[in-house]
Amino acid sequence: MEETPPQLQPQAAHASPPFPAVFTPPRALSSASARGSPTIPSPSPSGPAQFSTPPGPPVFSSPLRPAAVPFRTTPVSPQPVPFAPRTGSSSSSVSLPTSSAPHFLNGAATPHGHLPFAPPSLEDSSVDSPYVLFSARKVLKQKKLLNAPSLGFGALVSPGREVSPGPEALERDPRRCLNCGAYVNLYCDVLIGSGQWQCVICKKLNNSEGEFVVSSKHDLLQWPELASPAVDYVHSGNRRPGFVPMSDSRVSGPIFILIDECLDEAHLQHLQGSLHAFLDSLPPTARIGIISYGRTVSVYDFSEGAAVSADVLPGNKSPTHDSLKALIYGTGVYLSPVHASLPVAHTIFSSLRPYQLSVAEVSRDRCLGAAVEVALGIIQGPSAELSRGIIKRSGGNCRILVCAGGPNTFGPGSVPHSVQHPNYAYLEKTAMKWMDRLGHEAQRHSTIVDILCAGTCPVRVPVLQPLAKCSGGVLLLHDDFGEAFGVNLQRASTRAAGSHGLFEIRCSDGMLVTQVIGPGEEASPDSHETFKNDTSFCIQMHSVEETQSFSVSMETKSDINSDFVYFQFAVRYSNIYQSEITRVVTTRLQTVDGLSAYLSSVQEDVASVIIGKRTVLRARTASDSIDMRLTIDERVKDIAIKFGTQVPKSKLYRFPKELSSLPECLFHLRRGPLLGSIIGHEDERSVVRSLFLNASFDLSLRMLAPRCIMHREGGTFEELPAYDLAMQSNYAVVLDHGTDIFIWLGAELATQEGQSAAALAACRTLAEELSELRFPAPRILSFREGSSQARYFVSRLIPAHKDPTYEQESRFPQLRTLTPELRARLKSSFIHFDDPSFCEWMRSLKLVPPEPS
């Protein structure tokens, strides 16, 4: 069926920092997530240069829980595999995830392989999808408890996830229910005599025009959509007028680099180093453009050879149609393949000069908005590649990478230099609306704007965030323009992204979606095809990337009577090869009466992430964060009262043993960077929260609760609880907190030069491996015990040293291996402060701390 191209609905900007969209339908709805990724070549280690002979690969003394994210200094994003389509009658087996060699996406090991399909049985709930993660593997029939807001029911959905092998690719139109619009799937009952199939969502019968008429049920397995929970319908034609497929449309979308001209010398030198490395990392066929901006916009011309030449446009206003036309139809070359312009581009970067005037950083004029408009105008224009009278336009998504050292203070979308300006609040709101419109304009033209900021000058995040968010990009903050900035620049340019995405959610048996949080906005009714009784909830996606996920919260309208509940998630988008993809994922969950069976099926990590996203969404200001900490306290108490048991002859409640790790995850959330006071500036907190609300499950979990790994003798690593009891002076410890990875070197180990160098090199290698595929790349900091930077590390660990010895040993068993002398030294090393331990916090809520799992 032909789909109406979606029409985007711009959202009004708010004075508070913009967050990923939250969709709350009038009635209610909800659903799922995912993890996993293609195998990536191992990175070349980039440990400290002083270690000429780093130790071999890290060896773990106990299996590590998959959770952290891999990354490389020469980033390569996961490469999608071109489709190997089969027709509807192709085979009776399909590619499904199995338990062979694992690989990683944002740190989670994902099993994959090749298994023959087995028809779903009553016990098979088919919930192990790489695209969807439910908070529980079963659904409770009782409405009152299932809808309890403290625990809730929902799913994390990663519709753009790339796994290997991927879903079956079918080059034909899908069959859909004419009543509700749901897609035919493996759970549909098919009448083999007539070929009719019953929709699992609305239970109506549909005609297959005789296609599904077979002699036995087993013969239905020749249709992949009737055999696999996930399929891709592929249309390789392109609807864009004038589009001609290129030999490598994967890299045919141009990349525009926008450079701030107002940088001091030290910052500029770091930026030039990162830009040169970025240029050398690009494939030869990639097309690039370079623009710098200050009070004017300089568009660099690649046609002048060794000389640096640029056309200059005013920055105080938007570019006129005539000025853009003069650029597009002139003799200059502003977009050029890397293989043809590499020396010129290096010369342009080397020619950049530091800011010369004696003006404070925050007061310098920067026309960032006008520069983005110029880049968009050049990308949209007929970029002059004529062949036999046909205009060949770039197929893939275009990218604009903004390297910013300060706020937009000149021209369209600008704010005053000082926040003390009497009219600042109104001008900021006006600028946010303008940036929101520009972001939607970029998104309509398949252009993603990533804004990478660095330095000490405030960039006014609330103004720049709408531009990145609405175009499908990200806004990142860095300490400087050095290593982490350079890595993120490379990864931003190479990460795969689809465009024009429409995400649909359908549920059976009265299940309703109540809230969706993620990188998109609610689709308007005329942006998608509608059916007679279509109850789906539709979201217009800003971009389609595998590092994203949607948090979907759900409720039921009444008690459930059926044995199973069905959920269907469909995303339609244009992929990086410019094929139109419709990915359909259908899941079935068993319903249960018993509370114990339901609690045993709860996936605590998934439930923690969903609760975390719902909570962080409401923490838009510092005062909101304090309120949300109190909300977490009430939530944990309510879960214990509704699902736990009361201690006999006491007012204390015991937390349900099936959810033993959930309160500790929420305690980390309560005191960590998302809601706590670890991060000092509100701009930084806003950016971290925005990343968390859009992130995949694995990165979200790491940002929620850190992962602590101790380096032991012999080069092995041991994973430990993230408690301050891990701060043992004769060891090194790695703490992965998603956007930051810290390497802590004990004071005693630091005095042993050879051993400390080997330990530091091994920890650095581990940190790079943990974050090899992560976007954004985390900041990796290393420091010694007692140094000023060690506060970053200490503040993220639970202060368990305040607990009684028996509780310490119960929750941190490694403590039992220490000699009495070492334990005494460890105890004396702690500094007293007022933060409660996890056990103290639980008791303050009149709850018994759960036994460690």
Side-chain angles (χ1 to χ4, degrees):
M1 301 175 113
E2 193 66 19
E3 165 199 1
T4 305
Q7 303 297 316
L8 298 177
Q9 296 297 309
Q11 293 179 325
H14 302 283
S16 56
F19 273 61
V22 52
F23 321 100
T24 309
R27 36 185 214 317
L29 284 170
S30 166
S31 214
S33 156
R35 50 187 157 175
S37 146
T39 303
I40 301 293
S42 61
S44 54
S46 64
Q50 64 266 34
F51 307 123
S52 55
T53 55
V59 179
F60 294 94
S61 56
S62 60
L64 286 182
R65 240 179 40 209
V69 188
F71 217 12
R72 83 167 73 241
T73 49
T74 316
V76 176
S77 78
Q79 303 294 313
V81 181
F83 297 107
R86 301 182 192 176
T87 61
S89 57
S90 55
S91 78
S92 58
S93 67
V94 290
S95 304
L96 290 176
T98 77
S99 56
S100 61
H103 52 226
F104 298 86
L105 169 68
N106 280 354
T110 306
H112 66 275
H114 227 45
L115 268 189
F117 171 79
S121 65
L122 286 181
E123 293 77 25
D124 174 24
S125 59
S126 297
V127 294
D128 294 322
S129 166
Y131 307 103
V132 181
L133 292 173
F134 284 93
S135 61
R137 292 172 175 266
K138 296 178 181 177
V139 178
L140 194 60
K141 290 185 176 182
Q142 288 79 25
K143 171 187 173 181
K144 184 177 179 181
L145 286 177
L146 182 67
N147 292 355
S150 52
L151 181 59
F153 176 79
L156 295 169
V157 187
S158 296
R161 189 77 185 281
E162 293 291 346
V163 296
S164 178
E168 196 83 27
L170 310 175
E171 288 193 341
R172 52 181 166 80
D173 288 333
R175 290 202 171 275
R176 304 185 64 175
C177 175
L178 298 179
N179 180 58
C180 71
Y183 296 78
V184 68
N185 57 81
L186 75 166
Y187 301 113
C188 293
D189 284 332
V190 180
L191 304 176
I192 58 176
S194 64
Q196 290 179 299
W197 57 276
Q198 186 182 38
C199 176
V200 296
I201 303 297
C202 69
K203 311 304 180 188
K204 299 293 184 182
L205 277 177
N206 292 270
N207 200 338
S208 70
E209 287 81 36
E211 184 180 6
F212 296 154
V213 175
V214 290
S215 57
S216 71
K217 287 276 189 182
H218 189 270
D219 291 339
L220 293 172
L221 299 183
Q222 66 183 300
W223 284 278
E225 62 266 49
L226 300 181
S228 172
V231 290
D232 281 352
Y233 297 95
V234 182
H235 294 271
S236 54
N238 193 286
R239 296 175 183 171
R240 300 184 188 179
F243 174 81
V244 175
M246 296 184 176
S247 58
D248 187 4
S249 61
R250 168 81 173 82
V251 295
S252 62
I255 300 169
F256 247 119
I257 307 162
L258 274 56
I259 303 167
D260 188 345
E261 292 178 356
C262 301
L263 302 180
D264 292 328
E265 186 169 4
H267 286 317
L268 180 61
Q269 287 177 356
H270 279 122
L271 176 59
Q272 285 174 319
S274 295
L275 290 174
H276 286 304
F278 167 71
L279 203 57
D280 290 334
S281 74
L282 293 174
T285 53
R287 294 190 301 142
I288 61 166
I290 301 173
I291 289 176
S292 64
Y293 64 92
R295 284 187 63 86
T296 58
V297 180
S298 300
V299 188
Y300 288 90
D301 184 357
F302 292 103
S303 67
E304 295 296 326
V308 176
S309 173
D311 290 291
V312 180
L313 283 75
N316 62 338
K317 60 182 181 180
S318 297
T320 64
H321 175 75
D322 288 340
S323 61
L324 288 176
K325 186 176 178 181
L327 284 177
I328 294 167
Y329 289 100
T331 58
V333 176
Y334 308 109
L335 286 169
S336 177
V338 168
H339 67 81
S341 57
L342 189 61
V344 181
H346 277 302
T347 304
I348 292 171
F349 292 152
S350 299
S351 71
L352 298 172
R353 293 292 177 261
Y355 191 77
Q356 299 297 324
L357 303 178
S358 300
V359 179
E361 273 190 302
V362 73
S363 299
R364 298 170 187 175
D365 290 334
R366 297 175 174 89
C367 58
L368 186 152
V372 172
E373 285 188 299
V374 171
L376 272 176
I378 295 174
I379 288 172
Q380 294 167 21
S383 50
E385 207 179 336
L386 299 177
S387 174
R388 298 180 184 175
I390 298 175
I391 297 176
K392 295 171 71 178
R393 297 180 181 171
S394 59
N397 264 344
C398 310
R399 286 198 181 274
I400 296 176
L401 303 176
V402 183
C403 306
N408 182 35
T409 52
F410 191 67
S414 63
V415 290
H417 297 117
S418 172
V419 294
Q420 305 303 323
H421 188 284
N423 212 18
Y424 186 85
Y426 170 76
L427 293 173
E428 181 187 56
K429 188 174 181 180
T430 304
M432 290 168 64
K433 289 181 179 178
W434 189 90
M435 288 293 187
D436 187 280
R437 287 195 298 270
L438 183 60
H440 280 100
E441 176 70 15
Q443 199 260 355
R444 276 191 288 272
H445 290 88
S446 303
T447 301
I448 293 173
V449 183
D450 292 321
I451 305 175
L452 286 73
C453 308
T456 55
C457 180
V459 295
R460 314 283 161 78
V461 166
V463 176
L464 297 182
Q465 189 77 273
L467 172 59
K469 185 193 76 163
C470 296
S471 68
V474 295
L475 187 150
L476 304 176
L477 300 181
H478 304 82
D479 294 334
D480 53 44
F481 290 96
E483 180 184 3
F485 179 92
V487 172
N488 277 324
L489 193 64
Q490 295 179 39
R491 293 182 186 177
S493 69
T494 56
R495 72 186 195 275
S499 61
H500 303 288
L502 185 72
F503 178 37
E504 301 174 315
I505 305 168
R506 292 180 173 85
C507 313
S508 72
D509 296 275
M511 292 296 294
L512 302 172
V513 174
T514 56
Q515 187 183 57
V516 180
I517 303 170
E521 55 198 48
E522 188 169 350
S524 61
D526 60 347
S527 67
H528 55 94
E529 192 173 8
T530 55
F531 292 80
K532 185 166 52 177
N533 292 305
D534 192 350
T535 59
S536 66
F537 187 61
C538 298
I539 299 157
Q540 195 76 55
M541 299 177 67
H542 295 141
S543 64
V544 184
E545 301 182 24
E546 59 178 321
T547 55
Q548 301 170 337
S549 74
F550 288 88
S551 170
V552 186
S553 299
M554 293 178 250
E555 292 182 354
T556 179
K557 288 192 292 188
S558 58
D559 289 350
I560 301 172
N561 298 317
S562 54
D563 293 329
F564 294 96
V565 178
Y566 299 90
F567 306 89
Q568 189 169 83
F569 310 95
V571 59
R572 284 174 277 173
Y573 67 100
S574 299
N575 73 353
I576 55 176
Y577 300 102
Q578 290 307 288
S579 295
E580 298 291 330
I581 308 296
T582 300
R583 172 168 293 169
V584 180
V585 180
T586 310
T587 305
R588 179 181 73 177
L589 297 186
Q590 185 180 353
T591 58
V592 291
D593 287 301
L595 184 59
S596 177
Y598 172 66
L599 292 177
S600 298
S601 76
V602 171
Q603 303 190 77
E604 294 171 82
D605 286 349
V606 180
S608 298
V609 169
I610 294 174
I611 291 171
K613 295 198 178 196
R614 286 162 54 189
T615 306
V616 169
L617 180 74
R618 298 169 60 191
R620 294 177 178 267
T621 65
S623 60
D624 289 343
S625 297
I626 296 173
D627 293 341
M628 290 305 103
R629 290 177 223 163
L630 299 176
T631 299
I632 289 177
D633 295 350
E634 295 303 317
R635 184 185 296 277
V636 171
K637 279 197 289 188
D638 193 65
I639 291 174
I641 292 170
K642 283 189 169 65
F643 300 97
T645 55
Q646 189 170 4
V647 178
K649 301 179 182 179
S650 169
K651 293 183 179 180
L652 297 179
Y653 277 84
R654 198 179 300 278
F655 211 79
K657 64 180 185 298
E658 296 90 347
L659 308 179
S660 59
S661 68
L662 180 65
E664 190 167 308
C665 273
L666 297 182
F667 185 59
H668 276 298
L669 169 65
R670 189 186 188 280
R671 63 192 305 275
L674 292 167
L675 293 180
S677 54
I678 292 175
I679 297 178
H681 198 278
E682 187 57 36
D683 272 5
E684 295 177 77
R685 287 194 285 267
S686 171
V687 169
V688 169
R689 290 173 194 148
S690 181
L691 288 172
F692 173 72
L693 293 174
N694 287 340
S696 66
F697 163 71
D698 306 291
L699 180 55
S700 298
L701 181 60
R702 272 299 60 75
M703 294 176 73
L704 190 74
R707 184 184 186 195
C708 183
I709 304 168
M710 178 181 282
H711 179 266
R712 306 301 300 269
E713 299 92 342
T716 61
F717 287 90
E718 179 182 6
E719 184 162 13
L720 300 171
Y723 294 174
D724 61 359
L725 299 173
M727 296 167 54
Q728 299 167 24
S729 291
N730 52 337
Y731 294 116
V733 180
V734 176
L735 188 74
D736 181 4
H737 211 163
T739 54
D740 297 279
I741 297 181
F742 304 106
I743 302 172
W744 180 88
L745 204 61
E748 186 178 324
L749 177 62
T751 62
Q752 305 168 34
E753 190 173 340
Q755 291 183 17
S756 66
L760 189 58
C763 290
R764 176 78 188 193
T765 301
L766 174 64
E768 290 169 356
E769 291 181 353
L770 290 175
S771 60
E772 185 183 11
L773 300 179
R774 192 177 303 178
F775 181 79
R779 174 179 61 165
I780 301 177
L781 292 179
S782 55
F783 36 75
R784 295 187 179 190
E785 179 182 3
S787 66
S788 62
Q789 282 189 316
R791 69 185 187 279
Y792 296 124
F793 176 80
V794 177
S795 62
R796 296 162 194 256
L797 297 173
I798 292 176
H801 72 274
K802 305 173 75 174
D803 294 330
T805 302
Y806 71 91
E807 281 189 341
Q808 291 179 355
E809 291 184 351
S810 171
R811 298 181 180 281
F812 201 88
Q814 187 264 351
L815 214 55
R816 299 173 188 149
T817 65
L818 301 184
T819 63
E821 180 188 358
L822 289 176
R823 292 185 69 160
R825 282 161 55 188
L826 176 63
K827 183 177 180 179
S828 65
S829 68
F830 295 113
I831 300 172
H832 177 75
F833 49 92
D834 295 334
D835 273 8
S837 70
F838 170 67
C839 293
E840 289 175 331
W841 174 67
M842 289 292 287
R843 291 193 186 95
S844 73
L845 302 178
K846 297 189 174 358
L847 303 177
V848 178
E851 292 296 322
S853 53

